[in-house]
Amino acid sequence: MTPPATTAVIFDLDGVLVDTAQSHLAAWRRIASELGFTFGDRVGESLKGVARETALDLILTAGGVTLSPEDAAAAASRKNGYYTDQLRHLDQASLLPGALASLRWLRENGVPVALGSASRNARTILNSTGIADLFDAVVDGNVVRRAKPDPTVFLVAAEKLGIAPEHCLVLEDAIAGVEAGIRAGCRVVGVGEPDVLTAAEFVVPDLSALDWPTLIGRPE
Ligand code: B16
Ligand code: MG
């Protein structure tokens, strides 16, 4: 059976378009250190793509620490402060390889494009990197609170574009995000390591490795 044609693209943000995944990780490591523990790379990987409060739960579990709801809220807020401090340095040069060229190719070729991010800081990042105008729809952590691996963020993005999920291609750097895209019924291409993003259709190191005319099914 021929697979459904891809006619729209939904990008994850952190770790796909912008190298903010490292800033998230550094901010969480600082919170862990304040609470008197460290966590390893596997826990660090699991923080990608999930909501801020879920990420806090994951590091607290790793450190064997329990916080009251008030202290947990304060820790999540402190982490966001450390993270947004880093965002002040963002500009177009912070975009990952192939990000701007991909968005421009899709725009020039009339392909609908959405953002599907768990982040509540997504608008700030789109504005400071100068790519906000290259999206037809933006679905972030302020629009959808049910975070990846729940498929809602991608289902809402597809709906806003007016394209059926099976015709949408999702680009994701997180295990939770790949699962969310698959559960939404989209094609999912991983950005990162093939041995981490094992459920993706295929994995590229960054967006510059993608051949858009082939993926969208249009000859150059
Ligand atoms: P914030 P994405 C996700 O963004 C990050 O990967 C994840 O590490 C973070 O916890 C989440 O956003 C929430 O971000 O604290 O800024 O609201 O990868 O879905 O674009
Ligand atoms: Mg991501």
Side-chain angles (χ1 to χ4, degrees), residues 12-14 24 47-50 52 117-121 148:
D12 172 54
L13 180 62
D14 295 315
H24 276 296
L47 306 178
K48 291 183 182 174
V50 302
R52 199 178 304 163
S117 168
S119 179
R120 278 172 261 164
N121 294 296
K148 304 164 187 176

Side-chain angles (χ1 to χ4, degrees), residues 87-102:
L87 298 185
R88 287 189 288 114
H89 307 295
L90 277 191
D91 58 19
Q92 203 154 84
S94 317
L95 291 169
L96 286 166
L100 192 56
S102 294

Side-chain angles (χ1 to χ4, degrees), residues 188-203:
V188 183
V189 171
V191 179
E193 304 289 337
D195 55 344
V196 174
L197 305 174
T198 50
E201 183 180 317
F202 64 92
V203 180

Side-chain angles (χ1 to χ4, degrees), residues 47-62:
L47 306 178
K48 291 183 182 174
V50 302
R52 199 178 304 163
E53 291 70 21
T54 310
L56 177 63
D57 285 345
L58 289 169
I59 70 156
L60 292 178
T61 302

Side-chain angles (χ1 to χ4, degrees), residues 112-188:
V113 168
L115 188 82
S117 168
S119 179
R120 278 172 261 164
N121 294 296
R123 283 277 178 192
T124 307
I125 296 171
L126 294 184
N127 288 332
S128 46
T129 52
I131 56 173
D133 291 347
L134 295 171
F135 292 87
D136 300 293
V138 172
V139 181
D140 61 17
N142 299 301
V143 177
V144 169
R145 282 301 172 110
R146 293 168 73 170
K148 304 164 187 176
D150 186 285
T152 306
V153 66
F154 294 127
L155 291 172
V156 172
E159 192 185 326
K160 283 190 172 226
L161 293 176
I163 307 282
E166 60 266 35
H167 294 293
C168 294
L169 173 73
V170 164
L171 290 149
E172 258 294 348
D173 72 314
I175 297 167
V178 170
E179 186 183 333
I182 291 170
R183 282 169 63 185
C186 302
R187 277 181 82 183
V188 183

Side-chain angles (χ1 to χ4, degrees), residues 9-32:
V9 180
I10 307 174
F11 288 92
D12 172 54
L13 180 62
D14 295 315
V16 169
L17 294 171
V18 193
D19 190 18
T20 39
Q22 289 309 316
S23 305
H24 276 296
L25 185 60
W28 284 124
R29 287 206 189 281
R30 189 164 164 192
I31 293 292

